[in-house]
Amino acid sequence: MFTTRPEIAGTFGAVASTHWIASQVGMAVLERGGNAFDAAAAAGFTLQIVEPHLNGPGGDCPILLHSARLGTQQVICGQGPAPRAMTVAKLKGELGLDLVPGTGFLCAPVPGAFDAWMLMLREHGTWRVRDVLEYAIGYARNGAHMVPRVRATIETVRPLFESAWPTSAALWLRNGGPEPGGLYANPALADTYERVVREAEAAGTDRERQIEAARDAWYRGFVAEAIDRFARGFEALDTSGRRHRGLITADDLAGWQATIEPPLAFDYRGHTVLKCGPWSQGPALLQTLALLEGFDLGAMDPLGAAFLHTVVEAQKLAFADREAWYGDPAFTDVPMAALLSPAYNAERRKLIGERASLEFRPGSPDGRTPRTPDYAAAVRRAEAMAAAAGSGEPTVARLGASGGDTCHVDVIDRWGNMVSATPSAGWLQSSPAIPELGFCLGTRCQMFWLDESLPNGLQPGKRPRTTLSPSLVLRDGRPWMSYGTPGGEQQDQWQATMLLRMLHHGLGIQQAIDLPSFHCEHWISSFWPRGARPGKVVIEGRYPPEVLAELQARGHRAEMGGEWSEGRLTGARREPDGQILAGANPRGMQGYAVGR
């Protein structure tokens, strides 16, 4: 089978990420004696510089890892919670909002990415803070190559920057802004990270003490103080069409730390798939697999309409349960065992027929009654946004509703350590840039509902149910593959398709990545304005026309997308003979895998 690039193979190590510079940074760390955790952290901080439209220092980062030393897998939760002052009474009662805005300050959680990387580095890494940050500092100080999409993203929000977010204009529109293919620096961010390094080293020569000092500088020092001052002192125009000050404070940052948790697991055809808990959408992939156990996918053409239909119908059920049951388990009783149980999925599987369902059908695990947001209202919101876009109304440019995306990095080293990390949010179009820091706050709290009784209803200190969803896979109980993708709602759709094609059809990583894929928009989106499009399926343009026709005949509201438009996956796996193999997405011409 033709692939767009070779599947990387070696025995020393491999790094695959959504940007070639970050991949090479990770590989440079491995070559200099660092382990997978050092490499992933250095690559992750570099992604903030080279993909600023997809993530930033003020964003989030869930991490799944395998430690060869401990012989176990862990989740590091880098998803920060809602600020203490962020309540339904404040947003809905006092401010009169029906939805949490998708941009600006009101949707900002505590930034989680920095602490997640530092916690992983402390627990599993070998490098010091300076060594890990030196790559990102160099690119921020001297300039990083700007891919065309950075400039394209900036152009969508240029009117907002020029009219309402002057600090973002100063950072991203100076001298005309980044030129595609040119170098663009972020001196303020370089200064921020250099100060973090100085404060870390002032704590002495002990590596762990330096890491703790860096965490203090961020969450209890100058970074937290700058966030507090700016968010509470500036009124930011957001997608509500109004200006609001921030609710996040220095105390919110000081009161939070990233946590280490056990992953959720589901056994499927001799493989154990590991995901983050129900504060993420990751369990939806496990539920999809549980539903598909009853189908002979191996007998289906991986590019055929029957395969696509079966997977999509299973995902509709799994993602309906995401809305009905998932939320921060510290606040919400999530019946996870029942949702993954054979009995529950045997009953749910009966709902998958030959015709596409246009219904929104959450289940009743343990006999519980599901409670979800208003699906009909979500459909109306999607229709209203589509009508506005069709009329030429400049909603996106005026309010800054330019969706961000995400990054991903996978690392396997020669000792067998594995990392799957999905840094996201804090992208340059999220909120006004904090001038002395060189970055902005994230927007993940837009995923809360302004109804405390819902599983993902807003409460102070609660983690929003994120779409970020890294993956690890064990084969016969041994760590086998790290993989993931950007894509919001699509993350656990594209990941499921890739894994199923590998397990049922014997494809390698690069083959599975290159094959045309698809996504569904049937359920309620996690992102403002929280729309839903019943039955909508988008298939990549390289599918045969007869596949589209058959899907439509089955009742799907299916349409053809671009030829290279579905999926931004990367992955790396370790075989029993010691070989490490890796692949990366050719779409967008950024992702790359390296190794030897």
Side-chain angles (χ1 to χ4, degrees), residues 63-374:
I63 302 169
L64 257 168
L65 62 85
H66 169 76
S67 166
R69 175 178 59 88
L70 299 177
T72 191
Q73 299 82 44
Q74 296 177 345
V75 170
I76 296 182
C77 176
Q79 177 54 65
R84 297 172 192 173
M86 189 178 183
T87 64
V88 172
K90 175 70 176 179
L91 271 65
K92 191 172 185 176
E94 182 178 330
L95 299 180
L97 300 172
D98 293 324
L99 295 172
V100 180
T103 58
F105 291 146
L106 292 182
C107 51
V110 173
F114 186 85
D115 210 52
W117 290 124
M118 288 294 116
L119 180 59
M120 182 184 71
L121 190 64
R122 188 193 74 185
E123 294 295 307
H124 302 288
T126 65
W127 278 27
R128 297 175 183 274
V129 175
R130 174 180 292 278
D131 299 326
V132 166
L133 283 174
E134 69 174 354
Y135 299 94
I137 290 171
Y139 283 114
R141 177 70 64 203
N142 303 317
H145 176 90
M146 292 287 107
V147 295
R149 187 60 194 162
V150 176
R151 178 58 179 255
T153 300
I154 290 172
E155 290 304 314
T156 67
V157 289
R158 178 184 285 270
L160 175 73
F161 285 9
E162 292 177 333
S163 64
W165 291 6
T167 57
S168 293
L171 178 58
W172 294 108
L173 300 180
R174 70 175 192 274
N175 302 321
E179 286 296 326
L183 297 175
Y184 201 76
N186 187 341
L189 181 54
D191 291 343
T192 295
Y193 278 139
E194 285 180 343
R195 182 170 173 183
V196 168
V197 169
R198 289 196 304 272
E199 296 199 13
E201 293 180 337
T205 59
D206 181 77
R207 190 184 76 91
E208 291 189 12
R209 191 169 296 169
Q210 289 186 359
I211 292 171
E212 290 307 305
R215 297 172 80 186
D216 283 342
W218 199 273
Y219 290 94
R220 287 160 287 280
F222 79 97
V223 174
E225 292 165 1
I227 289 172
D228 185 306
R229 278 194 307 273
F230 187 70
R232 295 206 285 174
F234 180 79
E235 291 188 333
L237 180 67
D238 58 41
T239 54
S240 71
R242 294 154 50 194
R243 296 175 183 266
H244 297 103
R245 298 183 190 276
L247 300 175
I248 191 168
T249 68
D251 286 342
D252 290 314
L253 275 80
W256 179 82
Q257 288 187 333
T259 53
I260 297 175
E261 306 173 1
L264 284 178
F266 184 78
D267 293 329
Y268 182 82
R269 308 294 175 97
H271 296 77
T272 303
V273 184
L274 304 180
K275 300 294 286 186
C276 299
W279 50 266
S280 78
Q281 74 174 8
L285 187 149
L286 305 184
Q287 285 195 248
T288 299
L289 295 177
L291 289 162
L292 292 174
E293 277 194 313
F295 296 92
D296 187 3
L297 296 180
M300 300 179 189
D301 179 354
L303 288 175
F307 176 89
L308 197 156
H309 166 81
T310 305
V311 173
V312 164
E313 292 304 298
Q315 289 172 337
K316 288 178 182 177
L317 298 174
F319 278 78
D321 277 349
R322 183 195 73 172
E323 287 305 314
W325 303 108
Y326 293 12
D328 185 345
F331 290 76
T332 301
D333 180 16
V334 184
M336 207 67 251
L339 290 169
L340 294 175
S341 67
Y344 177 74
N345 284 284
E347 284 300 309
R348 295 281 279 166
R349 196 176 297 123
K350 295 175 183 177
L351 297 175
I352 301 176
E354 292 299 313
R355 298 280 301 171
S357 171
L358 300 183
E359 298 178 48
F360 184 63
R361 301 182 291 183
S364 300
D366 291 336
R368 305 185 191 193
T369 301
R371 189 162 188 276
T372 68
D374 187 337

Side-chain angles (χ1 to χ4, degrees), residues 12 25-39 124-127 131 135 413-415 417 596:
F12 178 79
V25 163
M27 196 66 204
V29 173
L30 296 183
E31 295 284 5
R32 289 173 54 188
N35 64 20
F37 311 110
D38 305 317
H124 302 288
T126 65
W127 278 27
D131 299 326
Y135 299 94
D413 66 24
R414 63 187 184 273
W415 300 286
N417 298 304
R596 70 169 179 86

